[in-house]
Amino acid sequence: MKATICGQTLELVEGDITKQRVDAIVNAANSRLAGGGGVDGAIHRGGGPEIMAETDRLHPDGCPTGSAVISCAGRLPAKHVIHAVGPVWSGGRRGEPDLLAGAHRRCLELAVEHDCRSIAFPAISTGVYGYPLDQAARVAIQTAIQFLQEQGRPELVRFVLFGRPAYDEFAAALTELAPPS
Ligand code: ADP
């Protein structure tokens, strides 16, 4: 599914983030950038030790929740990995939506700063961090639409959803939130 926002493309696909041929892929990292399971495990396995070596060197203090940092992508087809730290869900009253939006916005800013024309996101925080998929989808899509409306870049923002239920939630959010073209 695709939408056009200010001439740029917002796209949803079902698939594996590590296989994406885009300028930057986003990792759902933890604030110590210590590696973990889920998307993070898949990215470090696929990209090899170079990614962790670079994050350790450039970002030894990790990354605060609600923000993101960038590294190389090792052996992956992307040029960069942007490590985003989404919030752990704890009921929704501890600023989770703002933190999740902030993490997405920082990824988009870093992509633009590094001349990336395309970026692919997973559904940050919706795995072990427990953020309800329907709510996370709305925050993610809304933040991407707003950024494209304000900045007119990057050319392609793709959400890569792991499995049909995640795809369906993002599709519902995009249908609801995309401005009519
Ligand atoms: P978090 O700790 O931010 O919740 P997880 O990695 O546990 O991060 O999960 C985030 C989302 O990424 C989940 O919806 C999960 O299904 C999905 N996911 C797991 N592996 C992949 C992958 N290889 N590509 C894309 N999405 C993935």
Side-chain angles (χ1 to χ4, degrees):
M1 180 176 182
K2 275 186 195 177
T4 302
I5 317 284
C6 291
Q8 317 307 324
T9 302
L10 180 50
E11 181 180 36
L12 311 180
V13 300
E14 195 182 332
D16 180 346
I17 194 100
T18 65
K19 305 283 192 277
Q20 304 301 308
R21 293 191 176 277
V22 287
D23 289 340
I25 62 167
V26 175
N27 180 17
N30 56 55
S31 58
R32 290 175 296 119
L33 305 177
V39 183
D40 193 289
I43 286 175
H44 285 290
R45 265 195 314 279
E50 207 188 331
I51 300 177
M52 189 63 87
E54 192 171 297
T55 53
D56 283 349
R57 187 163 49 81
L58 298 180
H59 314 290
D61 298 326
C63 173
T65 302
S67 191
V69 296
I70 193 163
S71 76
C72 68
R75 296 192 297 257
L76 294 172
K79 294 183 190 144
H80 306 276
V81 175
I82 300 178
H83 305 267
V85 185
V88 176
W89 179 257
S90 52
R93 302 212 172 150
R94 299 214 175 152
E96 292 95 327
D98 285 348
L99 291 166
L100 188 60
H104 284 84
R105 201 172 306 114
R106 187 67 194 129
C107 290
L108 291 160
E109 287 168 1
L110 282 168
V112 167
E113 284 167 20
H114 288 78
D115 293 323
C116 296
R117 293 161 67 176
S118 52
I119 182 171
F121 284 91
I124 299 170
S125 285
T126 67
V128 289
Y129 280 9
Y131 209 119
L133 252 178
D134 57 338
Q135 297 184 51
R138 276 160 184 79
V139 171
I141 297 276
Q142 182 63 59
T143 306
I145 289 174
Q146 199 177 335
F147 190 90
L148 289 171
Q149 286 173 336
E150 286 167 10
Q151 306 291 326
R153 301 186 283 174
E155 284 170 28
L156 172 67
V157 178
R158 178 183 293 158
F159 288 92
V160 180
L161 293 323
F162 207 54
R164 197 71 201 180
Y167 180 89
D168 287 345
E169 289 295 355
F170 274 70
L174 184 56
T175 304
E176 186 184 308
L177 298 170
S181 47

